[in-house]
Amino acid sequence: MQGINDFNLWEGWILQLFDAATGLLVFIFAILAIIICCLLCGNLPETNETSTKTRTSTRQRSPPEQRYPSRVVREPPFAPRPIPGVSHAVTKVTPSSPTGSKEVKALRGGEFVGNRMRFKVKVLNDTPYTITDVRVFLISYPSAALRLASDDDDEFFPKIEPAGFRSPTFDFLPTQDCVRGDIVAGVSYIDMTGKAHTLSTRPFVIRAVCDLLIPDQVTPEEFTARLRSHEHGEIVIKVEEWTPEEMFDKALRIVDESNFFEISSKSDMKEGIAFSTITGLAKGKYTGKSVGVQISITGPSKKKGATCIIRVSGEDQAMILPAIDDLKERLSAWLCPLCSSPLTLENVADLKAGKVIECPFCCVSIGR
């Protein structure tokens, strides 16, 4: 009987302990539920908020500027620097041309031959491939002063081999005594990939008057009388490479080659200064209008450095300036002393350097 009572006593204590533990757990869960609800609703108790602020304020530190006065806080750069090598790796690569660095060239040239202006185009295939369907055509020319000698203004060639060329010519007939203007030609072709190309030549400048003149033989008195009623213009040029005596001989040849009839030529010297004068007269081949020229040369005798005055008088005012330009270029050019042919730029450079050259036309030695 005593054992039963003890068992009942222990059972009661266990039940009481279980009830107490259950109540404690319920209380804890209730507190946790309240805290969770407050967090979700944003309404924490005043005591918790105050304590949180207090803890936060106690953990605040002084700014870096106060703790480290000499330290400078730098902002990171806006754009990061490229990684070495990557920028080159992603660069766009331009595909190379199938013809390489070499190309097709269009060259041009021209001269007066008799009563014709001959214009030549040279198409040079400097590529390692054959080009086909090559057409050379005229783009522009002074049609008011020139007309084509034929009805064809283009030339066609089926192909041009590598390192090959074609040189078609176009003949023009002058219709005026003064020809001024530019001639431009074009070239079209198909390359080895089947792509069409078009290019043009550099303008060929024509300033021709003297080539379209014929000598007009008159007496000095008639020459003076004609020039009184003509318009005139003049230009002064300085030549450093020749003496006055050399320029006098050169001017005599140029007046003759420019189709002027030599009216008079005289030279004199006074106190070491040379004076020379040359006059000539011509007329237009087509209009018959008169053009007169007077070239005066002065300078220290036998010393390089002469002054030339070119004075042109014309019945047609449009012929004066082109004639002055033409004579100026001829007087400034380097000519062979034997055949009066123009020397190349390479010849001129060699002469200025004191070398002996050979005329490319008559093969005479120059410079000794």
Side-chain angles (χ1 to χ4, degrees):
M1 188 68 179
Q2 182 65 32
I4 294 174
N5 292 333
D6 293 336
F7 176 79
N8 291 333
L9 181 61
W10 281 103
E11 184 180 4
W13 287 350
I14 291 172
L15 291 176
Q16 291 179 1
L17 182 60
F18 179 79
D19 293 336
T22 302
L24 180 60
L25 290 175
V26 171
F27 178 77
I28 292 173
F29 284 134
I31 295 298
L32 291 175
I34 293 173
I35 293 174
I36 292 173
C37 291
C38 292
L39 291 175
L40 293 177
C41 297
N43 296 323
L44 289 175
E46 185 67 20
T47 55
N48 292 342
E49 183 178 358
T50 303
S51 62
T52 303
K53 290 182 179 180
T54 304
R55 289 195 301 268
T56 304
S57 62
T58 57
R59 294 180 182 179
Q60 289 181 352
R61 298 181 180 179
S62 59
E65 291 80 0
Q66 296 179 2
R67 292 186 288 112
Y68 305 101
S70 61
R71 181 180 177 183
V72 179
V73 180
R74 299 181 181 272
E75 295 292 334
F78 179 77
R81 296 181 179 179
I83 301 174
V86 175
S87 59
H88 297 284
V90 298
T91 302
K92 181 180 178 181
V93 178
T94 304
S96 59
S97 173
T99 58
S101 59
K102 298 182 179 180
E103 57 186 10
V104 178
K105 300 177 182 179
L107 310 176
R108 87 288 181 270
E111 61 179 347
F112 277 91
V113 180
N115 64 337
R116 293 171 178 254
M117 169 63 199
R118 180 158 294 171
F119 178 70
K120 179 180 290 187
V121 179
K122 182 177 182 180
V123 183
L124 176 62
N125 181 14
D126 204 16
T127 70
Y129 307 99
T130 298
I131 60 176
T132 59
D133 299 324
V134 182
R135 186 177 299 276
V136 182
F137 52 92
L138 294 174
I139 297 177
S140 174
Y141 64 91
S143 57
L146 295 174
R147 66 177 178 86
L148 274 171
S150 64
D151 296 332
D152 297 330
D153 60 354
D154 65 342
E155 291 282 348
F156 177 79
F157 303 97
K159 64 178 180 178
I160 300 180
E161 301 78 7
F165 66 91
R166 300 291 186 273
S167 299
T169 59
F170 301 90
D171 286 348
F172 296 91
L173 296 176
T175 58
Q176 297 179 2
D177 297 327
C178 175
V179 178
R180 301 186 67 179
D182 301 340
I183 302 179
V184 181
V187 178
S188 63
Y189 65 93
I190 304 296
D191 65 13
M192 51 88 63
T193 63
K195 184 178 179 180
H197 298 265
T198 302
L199 58 153
S200 60
T201 64
R202 292 188 298 110
F204 180 75
V205 182
I206 304 176
R207 299 290 185 269
V209 172
C210 299
D211 293 312
L212 304 177
L213 301 177
I214 56 177
D216 191 7
Q217 184 175 357
V218 297
T219 63
E221 292 76 14
E222 292 175 340
F223 174 77
T224 304
R226 287 192 185 185
L227 265 58
R228 289 175 183 171
S229 60
H230 292 175
E231 299 287 340
H232 67 272
E234 66 179 35
I235 189 174
V236 180
I237 60 174
K238 180 75 173 180
V239 288
E240 302 291 346
E241 296 84 4
W242 299 285
T243 65
E245 290 80 7
E246 292 172 339
M247 281 303 300
F248 178 71
D249 294 336
K250 183 178 181 181
L252 283 174
R253 295 184 181 184
I254 289 175
V255 168
D256 179 67
E257 293 173 356
S258 301
N259 299 319
F260 285 93
F261 176 78
E262 182 183 331
I263 302 297
S264 64
S265 60
K266 58 182 180 179
S267 60
D268 193 7
M269 186 175 62
K270 184 178 181 180
E271 297 180 357
I273 304 298
F275 300 90
S276 303
T277 304
I278 304 171
T279 58
L281 185 67
K283 61 182 179 181
K285 186 181 299 184
Y286 300 97
T287 63
K289 294 182 178 181
S290 298
V291 180
V293 61
Q294 177 179 324
I295 301 177
S296 302
I297 304 169
T298 60
S301 179
K302 306 297 183 180
K303 294 183 180 180
K304 292 185 177 182
T307 301
C308 300
I309 302 176
I310 304 173
R311 180 186 177 94
V312 175
S313 303
E315 190 175 354
D316 185 359
Q317 188 176 4
M319 301 173 64
I320 296 176
L321 290 180
I324 291 177
D325 292 339
D326 196 351
L327 292 170
K328 175 187 174 183
E329 291 181 3
R330 294 172 186 251
L331 283 173
S332 302
W334 288 69
L335 306 177
C336 173
L338 181 62
C339 66
S340 299
S341 299
L343 302 178
T344 64
L345 294 177
E346 185 179 357
N347 295 149
V348 174
D350 291 340
L351 282 176
K352 290 183 177 181
K355 299 179 181 179
V356 178
I357 66 168
E358 186 178 89
C359 175
F361 297 93
C362 67
C363 299
V364 68
S365 296
I366 307 172
R368 291 179 179 175

